Amino acid sequence: MNEVSILVTLATVHFIALMSPGPDVALVVQNASRYGRQTGLYIALGLSFGILLHSLLSLTGVSYLVHQQPLLFALLQLCGGSYLLYLGYGALRATLANWSLAPGELSQKPELLLHNKRQAFSRGFMTNILNPKALVFFVSLMSTLIPAGMSLGGKGIALLILWGLALAWFAALAWMLSTRHLQQKLQAAGRYIDLLCGVIFTAIGMMILYQSLSGLLS
């Protein structure tokens, strides 16, 4: 298989994975529909840089070494699961805060808000980089599709494809969710979006924490 075929296959597999429901998609849906386009785009940027770092660490073998060390990987799972539980708690708290409000109204309590662009970027980046499932995915993706003998230029293009597709997909999702017509409808359903995202974050976080504790105790 030549490098062009490898890169096309890589892009296809990666794009399918990006569209799969998970913490990254839930984060964009929750925040772009609530806080608007700019926040959604900065979260998309943070997620894409998390994916870029995962890709780079996998390509250089660092992520493989972490995956092969049970204690290190369990600690990563512990951090990632705890962070997702934190996001789940925030989403469920927002649900309770807004449940009694009229449709379309949002609580403006300071602790529920994303205050600036840097905070939005950081939340996207941390959500992705602390997800141990992302580490496993990129280790598998790189070890399966990227041969050791691939040219340096080819590997650079691979990194650019992984980052660029992630940014394009999450930015497009944030853009679509923040159009005026759609955002009015989504804000009317904001409490239900918060509830769904809270359940997703909490369920995945608890599953990851269970796997982490199982690994530490085994």
Side-chain angles (χ1 to χ4, degrees):
M1 184 182 292
N2 59 42
E3 289 193 357
V4 174
S5 299
I6 291 172
L7 293 173
V8 170
T9 303
L10 181 73
T12 302
V13 173
H14 179 52
F15 190 64
I16 292 172
L18 286 172
M19 292 188 292
S20 302
D24 293 351
V25 171
L27 190 72
V28 174
V29 171
Q30 182 194 23
N31 290 282
S33 61
R34 167 173 284 236
Y35 301 119
R37 180 166 297 165
Q38 180 174 265
T39 295
L41 291 176
Y42 273 91
I43 283 177
L45 188 63
L47 288 169
S48 69
F49 271 93
I51 286 172
L52 178 62
L53 183 55
H54 267 303
S55 304
L56 184 60
L57 293 176
S58 297
L59 196 60
T60 56
V62 174
S63 292
Y64 177 79
L65 294 176
V66 172
H67 189 223
Q68 295 303 304
Q69 297 296 320
L71 179 59
L72 281 177
F73 188 64
L75 290 175
L76 175 64
Q77 288 180 308
L78 185 63
C79 292
S82 298
Y83 188 72
L84 288 177
L85 279 182
Y86 163 74
L87 294 180
Y89 167 76
L92 293 175
R93 187 178 179 185
T95 301
L96 292 175
N98 289 297
W99 198 261
S100 60
L101 299 179
E105 294 182 357
L106 292 174
S107 170
Q108 296 302 313
K109 293 182 178 180
E111 65 269 20
L112 299 180
L113 298 177
L114 284 172
H115 295 287
N116 52 49
K117 301 171 185 177
R118 183 167 58 183
Q119 190 179 46
F121 176 88
S122 297
R123 186 164 296 184
F125 180 79
M126 296 298 290
T127 299
N128 186 269
I129 201 63
L130 288 178
N131 186 354
K133 293 185 178 298
L135 181 145
V136 174
F137 171 75
F138 283 104
V139 166
S140 302
L141 187 68
M142 293 300 192
S143 62
T144 302
L145 293 180
I146 304 297
M150 190 175 193
S151 69
L152 188 61
K155 291 178 179 179
I157 293 173
L159 290 175
L160 187 61
I161 287 174
L162 294 172
W163 174 76
L165 279 177
L167 179 59
W169 163 245
F170 291 125
L173 184 60
W175 187 278
M176 289 186 293
L177 291 171
S178 57
T179 57
R180 181 177 300 177
H181 179 67
L182 185 56
Q183 192 169 29
Q184 288 176 346
K185 291 186 176 182
L186 291 173
Q187 286 190 352
R191 68 195 71 178
Y192 303 106
I193 293 174
D194 283 333
L195 177 61
L196 177 60
C197 292
V199 169
I200 291 173
F201 291 138
T202 302
I204 297 176
M206 290 182 67
M207 180 178 64
I208 292 173
L209 282 179
Y210 174 77
Q211 294 173 345
S212 172
L213 293 175
S214 299
L216 289 172
L217 296 175
S218 64

